[in-house]
Amino acid sequence: MSFLRPKTKIDKGDTVIIFLGVNSMHSIQATPTVVNRKGEEVEHIFQTSFGALKVRSIIGVEYGTQIKLSKGWAYILQPNPQLWTQTLPHRTQIIYTPDISMIIHQLDLRPGSVIVESGTGSGSLSHFLLHAIKPSGHLHTFDFHEARAKQAQDEFQNHGLSDFVCVYNRDVCESGFGTQLEGKVDAVFLDLPAPQLAVPHAVKVFKNQGGRFCSFSPCIEQSQRCCEALKNHGFTEIQSLEILQQENQVKTKSLSSINLDFVKHKKPLNSSPDEKHLPSKDVIKVLTTFQPMTHTGHTGFLTFATLPPIFAR
């Protein structure tokens, strides 16, 4: 239940984050024992780059506590969508925070919103959507792959989020979102190979006052086909965006500086002809920024659109 609300102490069965560093985190379940490959129940010991952790020892400990490992230290953190995205088990390629933040902003999500998601995958975006619409909203998420849908359902149950989400195993391009959702949804998100095939079904689930639409596509051709389908079905404000994140590095750099103050003054009349007035060289330190040598690669295109109220379509 560690995702449901802020907590002080770790309970048995909670999902917790083992924080070793900014680029080294792990998610584990706080269970004292696990079942090994032979079907035997054994002590739950988690191995990290700083040594082993007896998971039994963290149950009852406060979140944020520094714990001792066999070869170093770590911190125990309560999970949130941002940390879960960095540590979750990958069943598919996932959407990361830069794209997710734009999706939530553009879909105008708030507590109480009802949203449809097709392409549950590993559940990275799903946890962010649930965080935005709780406690009075609801997420309806679809995946055509039966095993992935079942794994996602189990995760939501373990994280204490099952009251806010319904998981469906269905190919929405062929079968749509179901008659039970028609006219009940504020926003639709698609992460599909052929999103244009699901656009006609998406129109049916929007409320009479309309709503916002988003599709994530790795290729520009997918985005183009989606834009054409959106235009043909009465959507407006259609646009495609690509979010590229860049981290500038702040460093102190030493620069050579030439002092040319001598040119401001006339050469003394009594100076020797052999006397030379050369510029002096100083070294100064400045705080500056550098762009990284490598840049984050392309992730995908986000296509957004608005479905107008029913009287304006």
Side-chain angles (χ1 to χ4, degrees), residues 123-286:
S124 170
L125 176 63
S126 304
H127 281 78
F128 277 91
L129 298 177
L130 287 166
H131 185 74
I133 65 178
K134 287 194 295 113
S136 52
H138 204 85
L139 170 66
H140 299 271
T141 183
F142 295 77
D143 202 295
F144 78 95
H145 193 280
E146 184 177 359
R148 285 204 295 263
K150 179 64 170 62
Q151 288 173 311
Q153 179 66 64
D154 291 342
E155 278 183 355
F156 294 137
Q157 181 72 39
N158 293 335
H159 295 169
L161 300 172
S162 56
D163 290 341
F164 311 101
V165 57
C166 294
V167 182
Y168 306 84
N169 172 220
R170 182 184 300 168
D171 183 353
V172 299
C173 295
E174 292 288 338
S175 307
F177 299 102
T179 56
Q180 75 276 12
L181 292 181
E182 291 184 3
K184 297 182 179 180
V185 171
D186 298 295
V188 172
F189 173 82
L190 304 179
D191 184 1
L192 301 170
Q196 72 276 8
L197 300 180
V199 170
H201 302 297
V203 175
K204 298 178 183 179
V205 300
F206 278 105
K207 295 178 179 178
N208 288 341
Q209 61 263 37
R212 291 286 286 167
F213 172 94
C214 175
S215 174
F216 177 88
S217 300
C219 302
I220 190 62
E221 292 82 6
Q222 294 170 302
S223 179
Q224 289 172 333
R225 289 190 287 268
C226 184
C227 289
E228 291 174 358
L230 291 169
K231 184 177 179 180
N232 293 336
H233 286 84
F235 285 82
T236 61
E237 300 178 325
I238 303 170
Q239 60 174 337
S240 287
L241 306 177
E242 183 182 21
I243 311 300
L244 297 177
Q245 185 180 26
Q246 175 179 295
E247 178 184 359
N248 286 337
Q249 301 171 354
V250 180
K251 292 182 179 180
T252 300
K253 187 174 182 179
S254 298
L255 300 175
S256 297
S257 174
I258 300 178
N259 189 347
L260 299 176
D261 286 345
F262 74 95
V263 300
K264 298 179 182 179
H265 307 283
K266 291 183 178 180
K267 184 178 180 180
L269 295 176
N270 58 353
S271 62
S272 170
D274 298 329
E275 185 179 348
K276 296 181 180 180
H277 293 270
L278 298 176
S280 60
K281 293 184 178 180
D282 300 322
V283 176
I284 60 174
K285 293 185 177 182
V286 295

Side-chain angles (χ1 to χ4, degrees), residues 59-81:
I59 298 175
V61 173
E62 291 189 357
Y63 282 106
T65 300
Q66 185 187 64
I67 58 170
K68 191 176 187 311
L69 305 175
S70 58
K71 297 180 182 179
W73 301 89
Y75 289 90
I76 301 295
L77 305 180
Q78 183 174 359
N80 57 31

Side-chain angles (χ1 to χ4, degrees), residues 27 83-91 94 122-124 127 155:
S27 61
L83 295 176
W84 180 245
T85 291
Q86 297 181 59
T87 58
L88 58 77
H90 284 218
R91 298 183 286 271
I94 68 171
S122 300
S124 170
H127 281 78
E155 278 183 355

